[in-house]
């Protein structure tokens, strides 16, 4: 053997040479001393064993005892023995190799240990727990000799830690196959399986013959939740049922019964794993469905709170680590010359959003349509106020300054749109889409440069300036009168051109004032009906925060989604369809709100109500289902928030 200072290696070698796991303490000391004298030049660390090896050896043995690699026993009143546990592990691992060749050989058991072997060398565990744990993760080594406790008082099986638990299951399946190859067992169990599955005789026969004849196919049958898996469970049940009735077991009977128990436990593990995998796959599909719904962009904190159709959180059906791994994969991996399926962008406050690639351009078009109105009104009102103060801004005359103002206003009125327009992936995405055959698709880039904001928002500086002037009193257009008014009425420079609040900010302040007013009304009235209405209105305002971005308002979001799902031409036809849908929602929420508890009006409850209403026959012919669903949620919030006192 190669030179070594490892005591456990020397113990294993000494035990294998004497073909006994129990090594006499004194004999090993002598052997260690001679070994050290022979190899001292190669390994100077052996010097501690030259004079009196006992102290140094005992220190090493104490370490091995603590790790359960050896035991010290008294072989007689005057002698001590060292039990080398890895010796048994190597010995029984050979048995499993023999079983793979000859399935009729029995599994190793405690009866195979020499009589004077201490039982402490065995680490006993229930077979179901051990098999499940080792199938999840097993580190092959020569440190542990497991004793698998089986049901029905069947003899326990010894499993060395250097033998894979998969090998144990394969050997168990091989024993069952070997038993079923015998004519009396083959026909008997085939008949039982056929009788229990009437009308499927050919399927049963094909499965049975395939299982018996193909040893390499057995573990695959166990690990898949197919029809074969169901038949395999039935077969195991019939075999176990017959063998448990036997009173006087032969070694072959015990071996077969042990094999059935082992394979059933393996099958149950694979079945549970398959069920967990299917559950996880279903949760991932639901996650993708939620990501595909409006508003289409979500933060990680919002994704964590996603629920399924029953309101059960998706986080729990998969772990947070699995969610992060899924998002990382979807945002990083992609075919050559293609963008990932999910894209990531950041707003100016460093908030990180995820969005499906296919939803980016439709979202930009919707946000552009939505932002155009709010940006136009904000600039027009501001310009009108500036002109009213007899002042002028560079953006009114200079196109570049006007473009900068539009960019700034978009950042305020629609932070998501601003972030998307400045995202690194948009040029590539626009190029891919514009390169297709569909000429109706819009490109936001020309020669690699983003279109001017005035073109994106379809806004003319001169028209906007004219609209702002129209809002002024008529005498502002009369030179002499306006000059005199300027001299008399123009405010000081410090009071001119102050920053105005956005509509969203004014809307939030108004809502806060209404909330305080409702609370005061409820306190004064001290009426249960009024209190319930106030509580429902508060719940609706809380739910609104989940559906309406901070930079927008409820009515603005309603108008935006209405334009997507209601594409009827003609003002009257368009308004009639909107009113029909609104009436349907009002009738539905009126019936529901009567029996609804205050604490029940949550974001999840609103989503559930909207999903139920979407199945109404009157809404089936309306396209753009996602936009319609979001509109229904928002309109429900509006109805409850405006419940009359």
């Amino acid at each position: 053997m190669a030179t070594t200072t490892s005591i456990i290696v020397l113990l294993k070698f000494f035990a294998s040479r004497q073909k006994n796991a129990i090594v006499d303490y004194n004999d090993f000391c002598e052997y260690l001393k001679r070994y050290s004298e022979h190899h001292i030049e190669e390994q100077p660390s052996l010097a501690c064993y030259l004079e009196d090896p006992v102290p140094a050896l005992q220190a090493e043995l104490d370490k091995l005892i603590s790790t359960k690699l050896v035991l010290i026993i008294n072989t007689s009143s005057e002698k001590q023995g060292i039990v080398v546990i890895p010796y048994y592990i190597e010995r029984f691992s050979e048995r499993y190799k023999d079983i793979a060749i000859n399935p009729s050989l029995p599994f190793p058991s405690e009866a195979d240990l020499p009589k004077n072997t201490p039982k402490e060398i065995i680490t006993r565990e229930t077979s179901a727990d051990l098999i499940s744990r080792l199938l999840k993760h097993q580190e092959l080594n020569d440190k542990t000799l497991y004793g698998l406790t089986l049901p029905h008082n069947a003899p326990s099986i010894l499993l060395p830690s250097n033998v894979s638990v998969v090998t144990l299951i394969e050997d168990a399946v091989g024993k069952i196959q070997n038993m079923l190859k015998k004519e009396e067992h083959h026909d008997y169990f085939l008949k039982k399986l056929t009788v229990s599955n009437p009308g499927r005789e050919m399927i049963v026969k094909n499965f049975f013959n395939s299982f018996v004849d193909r040893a390499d196919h057995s573990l695959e049958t166990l690990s898949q939740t197919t029809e074969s898996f169901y038949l395999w469970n039935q077969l195991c049940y019939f075999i176990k049922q017959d063998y448990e009735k036997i009173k006087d077991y032969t070694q072959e009977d015990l071996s077969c019964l042990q094999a059935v128990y082992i394979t059933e436990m393996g099958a149950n593990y694979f079945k549970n794993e398959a069920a967990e995998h299917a559950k996880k796959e279903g949760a991932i599909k639901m996650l993708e469905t939620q990501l595909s719904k409006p508003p289409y962009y979500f933060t990680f904190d919002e994704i964590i709170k996603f629920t399924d159709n029953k309101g059960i959180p998706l986080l729990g059906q998969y772990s947070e680590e699995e969610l992060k791994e899924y998002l990382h994969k979807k945002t990083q991996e992609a075919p050559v010359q293609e963008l990932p399926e999910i894209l990531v962008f950041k707003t100016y406050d460093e908030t990180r959003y995820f969005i499906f690639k296919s939803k980016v351009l439709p979202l930009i078009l919707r946000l552009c349509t939505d932002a155009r109105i709010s940006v136009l009104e904000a600039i027009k009102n501001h310009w009108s106020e500036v002109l009213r103060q007899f002042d002028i801004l560079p953006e009114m005359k200079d196109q570049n300054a006007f473009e900068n103002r539009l960019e700034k206003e978009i950042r305020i009125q629609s932070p998501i749109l601003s972030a998307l327009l400045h995202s690194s992936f948009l040029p590539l995405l626009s190029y891919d889409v514009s390169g297709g055959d569909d000429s109706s698709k819009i490109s936001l880039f020309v020669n690699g440069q983003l279109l001017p904001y005035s073109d994106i928002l379809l806004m003319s500086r001169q028209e906007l300036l004219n609209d702002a002037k129209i809002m002024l009193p008529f005498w502002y257009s009369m030179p002499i009168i306006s000059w005199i008014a300027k001299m008399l009425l123009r405010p000081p420079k410090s009071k001119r051109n102050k920053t105005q609040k956005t509509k969203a900010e004014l809307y939030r302040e108004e809502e806060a004032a209404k909330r305080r007013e409702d609370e005061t009304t409820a306190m004064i009235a001290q009426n249960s009906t009024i209190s319930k209405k106030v509580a429902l209105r508060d719940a609706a305002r809380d739910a609104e925060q989940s559906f309406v971005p901070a930079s927008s308002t409820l009515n603005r979001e309603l108008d935006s989604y209405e334009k997507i799902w209601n594409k009827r031409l003609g003002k009257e036809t368009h308004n009639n369809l909107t009113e029909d849908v609104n009436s349907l929602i009002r009738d539905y929420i009126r019936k529901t709100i009567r029996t609804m508890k205050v604490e029940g009006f949550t974001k999840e409850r609103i989503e559930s109500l909207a999903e139920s209403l979407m199945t109404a026959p009157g809404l089936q012919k309306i396209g753009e289902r996602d936009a319609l669903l979001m509109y229904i949620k928002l309109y429900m919030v509006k109805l409850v928030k405006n419940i009359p006192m």
Side-chain angles (χ1 to χ4, degrees):
M1 62 175 292
T3 305
T4 180
T5 57
S6 174
I7 296 300
I8 188 61
V9 173
L10 294 174
L11 280 169
K12 286 193 289 185
F13 174 74
F14 192 76
S16 63
R17 194 174 66 174
Q18 68 176 18
K19 296 182 180 179
N20 191 338
I22 303 177
V23 175
D24 184 88
Y25 193 99
N26 294 327
D27 290 347
F28 183 71
C29 284
E30 287 297 323
Y31 165 74
L32 182 58
K33 185 176 181 180
R34 294 195 305 272
Y35 179 86
S36 301
E37 291 172 350
H38 185 70
H39 296 288
I40 187 63
E41 293 183 2
E42 302 170 35
Q43 292 289 329
S45 58
L46 293 171
C48 60
Y49 303 113
L50 291 177
E51 297 295 332
D52 183 9
V54 174
L57 174 61
Q58 189 59 48
E60 292 293 328
L61 289 177
D62 289 341
K63 297 178 183 178
L64 297 176
I65 291 171
S66 65
T67 56
K68 297 183 179 181
L69 287 174
V70 300
L71 287 176
I72 302 294
I73 62 171
N74 294 320
T75 56
S76 67
S77 59
E78 298 179 355
K79 289 187 176 183
Q80 281 188 323
I82 305 171
V83 182
V84 186
I85 297 175
Y87 174 82
Y88 290 115
I89 293 175
E90 292 182 0
R91 173 183 166 187
F92 288 124
S93 65
E94 293 296 323
R95 173 75 70 84
Y96 281 92
K97 294 178 183 178
D98 296 337
I99 293 174
I101 300 172
N102 183 9
S104 61
L105 292 174
F107 286 116
S109 65
E110 292 186 34
D112 296 320
L113 294 170
K115 292 182 179 180
N116 58 346
T117 304
K119 303 301 182 183
E120 290 82 357
I121 70 168
I122 301 174
T123 302
R124 289 180 176 81
E125 290 193 45
T126 58
S127 50
D129 293 341
L130 182 63
I131 289 174
S132 177
R133 194 179 84 244
L134 295 183
L135 280 173
K136 289 179 181 177
H137 175 72
Q138 182 178 10
E139 182 181 347
L140 299 179
N141 53 53
D142 60 353
K143 296 180 179 180
T144 311
L145 184 62
Y146 295 109
L148 281 71
T149 304
L150 297 173
H152 203 65
N153 296 322
S156 61
I157 295 175
L158 297 180
L159 177 67
S161 56
N162 62 350
V163 174
S164 170
V165 69
V166 175
T167 300
L168 172 66
I169 298 172
E170 288 176 339
D171 288 348
V173 174
K175 286 180 176 294
I176 296 174
Q177 289 173 321
N178 187 56
M179 180 270 290
L180 292 176
K181 286 179 181 178
K182 297 177 181 179
E183 187 173 347
E184 65 275 16
H185 292 129
H186 183 283
D187 296 341
Y188 172 73
F189 285 109
L190 176 58
K191 183 177 180 181
K192 290 194 74 170
L193 199 60
T194 305
V195 170
S196 64
N197 292 276
R200 305 171 63 205
E201 290 79 3
M202 187 58 66
I203 295 175
V204 171
K205 187 174 181 181
N206 290 337
F207 156 76
F208 191 87
N209 291 333
S210 175
F211 171 72
V212 173
D213 297 334
R214 289 189 59 188
D216 60 326
H217 190 60
S218 56
L219 197 61
E220 182 182 345
T221 302
L222 287 179
S223 58
Q224 294 181 352
T225 54
T226 59
E227 188 175 38
S228 297
F229 185 86
Y230 168 75
L231 295 173
W232 163 251
N233 270 346
Q234 274 193 319
L235 179 60
C236 278
Y237 173 77
F238 292 141
I239 296 173
K240 184 175 67 173
Q241 188 181 48
D242 280 22
Y243 273 85
E244 285 181 346
K245 294 177 182 177
I246 298 175
K247 294 183 178 180
D248 297 323
Y249 287 104
T250 64
Q251 181 58 55
E252 183 181 355
D253 295 336
L254 285 173
S255 187
C256 191
L257 187 59
Q258 288 174 323
V260 171
Y261 288 141
I262 293 297
T263 50
E264 269 196 325
M265 292 166 193
N268 286 335
Y269 171 82
F270 290 125
K271 178 183 178 181
N272 293 335
E273 284 292 299
E276 284 294 320
H277 180 72
K279 182 180 178 182
K280 195 176 297 180
E281 287 292 314
I284 292 295
K285 288 183 179 179
M286 179 55 66
L287 169 66
E288 293 177 347
T289 301
Q290 297 282 28
L291 287 171
S292 300
K293 291 181 178 180
Y296 306 124
Y297 54 92
F298 303 93
T299 64
F300 183 76
D301 290 339
E302 291 172 337
I303 293 174
I304 284 179
K305 297 176 183 177
F306 281 171
T307 59
D308 59 18
N309 293 331
K310 298 179 181 178
I312 301 173
L314 295 179
L315 188 65
Q317 300 179 47
Y318 48 69
S319 67
E320 187 171 335
E321 287 300 319
E322 288 170 333
L323 174 59
K324 290 180 179 178
E325 182 181 349
Y326 166 81
L327 292 175
H328 181 269
K329 180 180 178 181
K330 290 292 185 179
T331 55
Q332 299 296 325
E333 299 180 7
V336 180
Q337 297 182 346
E338 288 188 24
L339 288 170
E341 189 174 354
I342 296 179
L343 303 173
V344 181
F345 67 94
K346 286 184 179 181
T347 53
Y348 288 95
D349 60 358
E350 293 299 314
T351 304
R352 193 164 176 256
Y353 290 94
F354 297 86
I355 183 171
F356 269 115
K357 176 174 63 176
S358 58
K359 300 297 183 181
V360 173
L361 288 181
L363 176 61
I364 288 177
L365 293 178
R366 180 180 77 81
L367 292 177
C368 283
T369 304
D370 185 26
R372 182 181 186 279
I373 298 173
S374 57
V375 169
L376 188 146
E377 288 184 358
I379 295 178
K380 183 173 67 174
N381 292 335
H382 181 222
W383 283 7
S384 179
E385 184 63 26
V386 170
L387 293 172
R388 191 183 299 272
Q389 296 173 356
F390 305 98
D391 207 347
I392 194 168
L393 298 173
E395 62 205 46
M396 297 177 181
K397 301 296 183 180
D398 182 66
Q399 186 64 27
N400 290 332
F402 179 65
E403 297 293 341
N404 292 335
R405 173 62 191 275
L406 289 178
E407 181 181 3
K408 179 182 177 182
E409 203 64 42
I410 289 175
R411 187 183 303 179
I412 296 172
Q413 302 289 345
S414 185
I416 300 299
L417 174 59
S418 179
L420 287 171
L421 291 176
H422 288 89
S423 62
S424 58
F425 57 75
L426 187 60
L428 298 174
L429 185 63
S430 297
Y431 174 80
D432 291 341
V433 174
S434 62
D437 296 332
D438 189 355
S439 58
S440 64
K441 292 178 180 176
I442 300 173
S443 174
L444 297 172
F445 289 82
V446 175
N447 298 324
Q449 297 294 322
L450 183 68
L451 288 172
Y453 288 97
S454 56
D455 290 345
I456 293 175
L457 297 180
L458 302 177
M459 197 175 297
S460 168
R461 176 177 55 82
Q462 190 58 50
E463 289 180 2
L464 191 56
L465 182 59
N466 292 337
D467 291 341
K469 289 179 179 179
I470 291 174
M471 297 173 65
L472 300 174
F474 74 94
W475 48 267
Y476 269 78
S477 60
M478 302 173 67
I480 297 176
I481 297 177
S482 63
W483 181 82
I484 297 172
K486 179 179 179 181
M487 298 295 293
L488 298 175
L489 303 176
R490 190 180 189 187
K493 190 173 183 181
S494 59
K495 295 183 179 181
R496 277 183 271 155
N497 200 17
K498 287 187 175 181
T499 304
Q500 296 180 331
K501 292 182 179 180
T502 64
K503 272 197 172 183
E505 291 173 336
L506 295 172
Y507 174 76
R508 298 284 181 269
E509 292 177 359
E510 183 181 347
E511 288 300 310
K514 287 181 179 178
R515 186 189 289 264
R516 291 192 295 270
E517 184 181 341
D518 285 348
E519 291 173 354
T520 304
T521 302
M523 290 175 62
I524 295 173
Q526 294 184 348
N527 183 291
S528 59
T529 303
I530 293 178
S531 297
K532 180 181 179 181
K533 290 180 178 179
V534 169
L536 282 170
R537 287 165 69 155
D538 282 345
R541 291 189 182 100
D542 292 337
E544 180 185 354
Q545 296 177 7
S546 302
F547 297 119
V548 180
S551 59
S552 185
T553 64
L554 180 58
N555 287 334
R556 178 175 161 187
E557 292 297 305
L558 279 167
D559 292 341
S560 177
Y561 285 108
E562 180 192 341
K563 291 172 184 175
I564 298 175
W565 64 262
N566 190 351
K567 297 181 178 179
R568 297 295 176 90
L569 299 177
K571 184 177 181 180
E572 184 177 352
T573 306
H574 179 96
N575 292 341
N576 287 341
L577 177 59
T578 301
E579 182 55 32
D580 289 344
V581 172
N582 291 348
S583 298
L584 186 63
I585 302 172
R586 283 196 298 269
D587 293 341
Y588 182 74
I589 205 69
R590 189 181 297 115
K591 295 176 184 177
T592 306
I593 209 73
R594 292 173 185 169
T595 56
M596 182 184 293
K597 295 181 179 179
V598 173
E599 59 271 16
F601 196 74
T602 61
K603 174 179 179 289
E604 291 73 20
R605 180 63 172 152
I606 294 169
E607 290 175 342
S608 176
L609 292 173
E611 291 281 358
S612 299
L613 187 57
M614 284 288 288
T615 61
L619 300 179
Q620 295 305 304
K621 294 182 180 180
I622 298 178
E624 301 293 346
R625 307 292 290 174
D626 289 343
L628 177 60
L629 178 64
M630 193 66 184
Y631 179 86
I632 293 173
K633 296 176 189 176
L634 294 169
Y635 197 72
M636 284 181 174
V637 169
K638 182 177 181 179
L639 290 174
V640 177
K641 197 176 73 168
N642 294 321
I643 291 177
M645 289 295 187

